[in-house]
Amino acid sequence: MERDVRIRLLAVVALGALLVTSGCLTTDPAVELNTTESAVFAEASTDGSVAIGQVNAKLSLVPNATTDEGVDRLLVVAPNGETFHRTSLDSGQSSVTVLLPPDGSATIVAANTVNGTVVETRNATITGDSLR
């Protein structure tokens, strides 16, 4: 029994150290993305009840986003203007998980890299209870 207590204590200490060294802890993360009249995005939601340093968001795409619109890459741009995350899309893909910064906002850029155009840009608002 004493060994179990030590293992639990070690796990709590390790988790605390992870939280302190990895940046921001956000509980109940959520993402708001205006998809009204979007040529690319149908819906956005978050995965999980806790986020450490980044928020996992699932984006549902409109049926023709990767075919008719030719979207083959999504970029997440942080408030400081730097690329926070990027991912490639396959033709016919209907959803994708992206990483969002936990600090309030991001810009999601849908691009067609074949012809070098930006198909659509949407601002996302990330909310939750931040603990630092």
Side-chain angles (χ1 to χ4, degrees):
M1 179 150 162
E2 187 176 309
R3 182 174 185 262
D4 290 341
V5 171
R6 278 189 265 168
I7 290 173
R8 287 184 185 153
L9 180 60
L10 182 59
V12 168
V13 169
L15 178 61
L18 176 66
L19 295 177
V20 168
T21 60
S22 66
C24 180
L25 170 71
T26 303
T27 59
D28 299 322
V31 62
E32 296 173 21
L33 184 69
N34 181 358
T35 59
T36 304
E37 298 182 19
S38 175
V40 177
F41 305 104
E43 186 178 36
S45 61
T46 56
D47 286 339
S49 60
V50 176
I52 300 173
Q54 60 195 21
V55 174
N56 291 333
K58 181 179 179 183
L59 304 178
S60 297
L61 309 175
V62 299
N64 63 342
T66 60
T67 53
D68 296 350
E69 299 295 334
V71 175
D72 61 359
R73 174 149 311 160
L74 294 181
L75 301 171
V76 176
V77 181
N80 65 4
E82 294 183 14
T83 300
F84 187 82
H85 179 78
R86 78 180 73 207
T87 189
S88 297
L89 301 172
D90 295 323
S91 181
Q93 190 169 343
S94 62
S95 67
V96 62
T97 298
V98 297
L99 303 177
L100 302 174
D103 56 358
S105 65
T107 302
I108 302 175
V109 179
N112 178 327
T113 61
V114 173
N115 63 18
T117 60
V118 171
V119 176
E120 189 170 285
T121 300
R122 294 283 168 149
N123 292 322
T125 302
I126 301 97
T127 59
D129 297 321
S130 293
L131 307 172
R132 292 190 185 255

